[in-house]
Amino acid sequence: MLKPNEIKHFIEDDRTSQKKKMAEQGLKYYEGEHKIMGSRIFYVDADGNLKEDTLRSNVRISHPFFTELVDQEVQYMLSGDGKFIKSDNPDLQKRLDLYFNDCFWAEVYEMLTGCISKGFDYMYAYRTANGRIGFQHADSMGVVEVQAKDADDNEEHVIYWYIDRIEKGKRTVKRIQVWDKKETYYYVQINDGGIVEDEQEPLNPRPHIVTENEKGERFGSSFNFIPFFRLDNGSKQFSGLKPIKDLIDDYDLMACSLSNNLQDFADAIYVVSGFQGANLDEMIQNIKVKKHLGVAPDGGLDIKTVDIPYEARKEKLELDEKNIYRFGMGFNSAQLGDGNITNVVIKSRYALLDLKCNKLEIRLKGFLRKIAGVVLDEINANDHTDYQSEDVYFGFQREVITNAQDNAQIDLITAQKQGQQLSNVLSVANTLDEETIIQEICAILDIDYEEIKNKLAAGEKDTESVQKTLEGMVPDDKGGAG
């Protein structure tokens, strides 16, 4: 087992690692905490000293494109009927549905969000109250993988920590779990102090699985592996923010600079010469309230305005937005077209998002294969079955919005084509045997041949009777029944 000083060392090293710094940056941008939030304005005074300007406008607004792109990818990835882990064996499918239910996919949703925004994320296995194995999302910011060569006991470990609570705004209570292949050890740390064993845990260390019989006796067992599963957003575990961070920062800067210009130059500049008055306050009051000003014969009032480069900034903002969606490989819902929004056009706008999800789908299937393997082992052990990994497959049918008018036109053409095919079959019914006719018609209508065959009355076995029976099933040219 790891010693407390080792645990503290691994946590501190992991927190300052480059991988976790990039993950933290991705998480901040997902939560709308952009670089622009730390923007400050400086100037050089008459003495050549650099000072912060606290009087000028300093608008700091984050534009959460990354939040939209992440949620868009997760939602699109998990669109469909919600059944992504499937089997052709009905009995196995019923068992799988008990494990991979709505609660499981809710955890997968959180894990996918973390994986895309931070570059990688985890789920871990545990025993639920109903006795089955369950899976829960584990925030990657609090997961530390310890290789066997780095630990004094030459064993692999996973350290999982999280902030339990903050007492009175001062004392931070951090709960720490150290997992190995057999047991879980529980520790607690107050602020940045020493790590000590958690006395609130009744079993410490605790086996992975604890069961209790009718007599109240407890029995422990283990998974014989560390039950943490990691999903990477690419081989280098880069956040989806990496290719578009600079574009988002530029968009924030352009938009906020425009807001600053509008605020700073909202009022005109009055240039007065030969003013006949007591002081400057009187002049300003006369201009704002009385709308007139007394000046000397050779004096005058000149109003100056500042032209803000609005059009240039607008074009730059539009270009940045276009590139954010292009290089972020997302669907831009604000994209304008020529009004001809057909299904082909819609599908083309989803092309980049499809490419991105296809890459993620490959890794997600490998991740789910590991999860399904653990579930199959438990099913086989409990039900004395022999299901194999090959009995399970994964199907992701992502949904795309479509043009209802296009869909109706396609349905009409399909129905007309089907009607023509059926008419062709019936036109040669006198030259074919009844079994061939029924088979051909069932193939066109996608109907079970055996079911239709059994429903035909025994006295309707001649070709003419078969034709009359099936004519009611033939659509007319408008797609309805003939």
Side-chain angles (χ1 to χ4, degrees), residues 320-356:
D320 279 344
E321 180 179 351
K322 180 180 179 180
N323 286 332
I324 287 170
Y325 283 104
R326 176 189 296 172
F327 300 118
M329 302 179 73
F331 172 77
N332 187 357
S333 59
Q335 183 179 3
L336 299 178
D338 57 1
N340 186 25
I341 311 299
T342 64
N343 286 340
V344 175
V345 173
I346 295 173
K347 188 175 181 179
S348 68
R349 293 184 180 179
Y350 274 89
L352 291 176
L353 183 57
D354 266 320
L355 286 175
K356 184 167 60 170

Side-chain angles (χ1 to χ4, degrees), residues 56-305:
R56 288 182 57 189
S57 299
N58 186 15
V59 176
R60 289 174 285 193
I61 302 175
S62 297
H63 299 80
F65 288 103
F66 186 55
T67 307
E68 179 187 355
L69 289 171
V70 172
D71 290 344
Q72 189 181 96
E73 184 175 357
V74 175
Q75 291 278 3
Y76 190 52
M77 191 72 222
L78 297 181
S79 61
D81 59 3
K83 293 185 179 296
F84 308 111
I85 301 180
K86 304 177 181 181
S87 175
D88 292 330
N89 185 322
D91 292 333
L92 177 57
Q93 185 66 59
K94 290 181 180 179
R95 291 179 170 90
L96 291 175
D97 290 342
L98 296 175
Y99 292 88
F100 303 114
N101 51 24
D102 291 341
C103 294
F104 173 80
W105 293 113
E107 298 296 328
V108 171
Y109 182 95
E110 294 296 330
M111 182 204 62
L112 280 176
T113 302
C115 173
I116 299 168
S117 61
K118 294 176 287 187
F120 58 100
D121 219 351
Y122 295 84
M123 290 184 74
Y124 69 92
Y126 69 101
R127 181 69 65 183
T128 62
N130 57 23
R132 287 191 294 267
I133 191 172
F135 302 91
Q136 187 168 339
H137 166 243
D139 185 1
S140 59
M141 299 304 297
V143 178
V144 184
E145 296 186 41
V146 180
Q147 303 296 326
K149 60 183 180 64
D150 298 326
D152 290 346
D153 58 2
N154 293 320
E155 294 286 343
E156 291 184 353
H157 300 272
V158 166
I159 302 173
Y160 177 44
W161 63 267
Y162 60 94
I163 302 298
D164 185 24
R165 64 184 185 278
I166 299 177
E167 297 178 347
K168 299 180 180 179
K170 297 180 180 180
R171 282 166 43 97
T172 301
V173 180
K174 180 188 295 183
R175 302 287 177 184
I176 302 171
Q177 303 173 6
V178 180
W179 295 67
D180 60 22
K181 295 181 180 180
K182 299 292 184 181
E183 297 174 309
T184 306
Y185 301 82
Y186 297 87
Y187 299 89
V188 65
Q189 181 183 24
I190 306 298
N191 293 331
D192 293 327
I195 296 177
V196 297
E197 293 186 7
D198 191 351
E199 297 180 354
Q200 295 185 8
E201 288 294 332
L203 290 176
N204 194 6
R206 177 190 177 93
H208 292 164
I209 303 171
V210 177
T211 57
E212 186 173 329
N213 60 16
E214 298 177 353
K215 299 180 180 180
E217 298 174 334
R218 292 184 176 181
F219 302 90
S221 58
S222 65
F223 292 119
N224 291 319
F225 61 89
I226 301 177
F228 275 75
F229 306 88
R230 188 185 72 211
L231 176 64
D232 296 334
N233 187 37
S235 59
K236 295 185 178 180
Q237 300 178 333
F238 283 154
S239 164
L241 175 69
K242 185 176 176 60
I244 57 174
K245 178 185 179 301
D246 292 338
L247 288 169
I248 294 176
D249 289 340
D250 187 62
Y251 189 99
D252 288 342
L253 182 61
M254 290 294 106
C256 292
S257 296
L258 179 59
S259 297
N260 291 334
N261 292 155
L262 292 173
Q263 289 191 9
D264 289 338
F265 301 107
D267 297 327
I269 300 175
Y270 299 92
V271 180
V272 181
S273 59
F275 170 61
Q276 294 180 339
N279 53 46
L280 184 62
D281 291 338
E282 179 185 347
M283 180 190 72
I284 296 174
Q285 183 70 12
N286 288 339
I287 293 174
K288 288 186 175 181
V289 180
K290 299 180 180 180
K291 305 298 182 182
H292 71 271
L293 187 67
V295 296
D298 58 345
L301 172 64
D302 189 13
I303 300 177
K304 302 289 186 179
T305 59

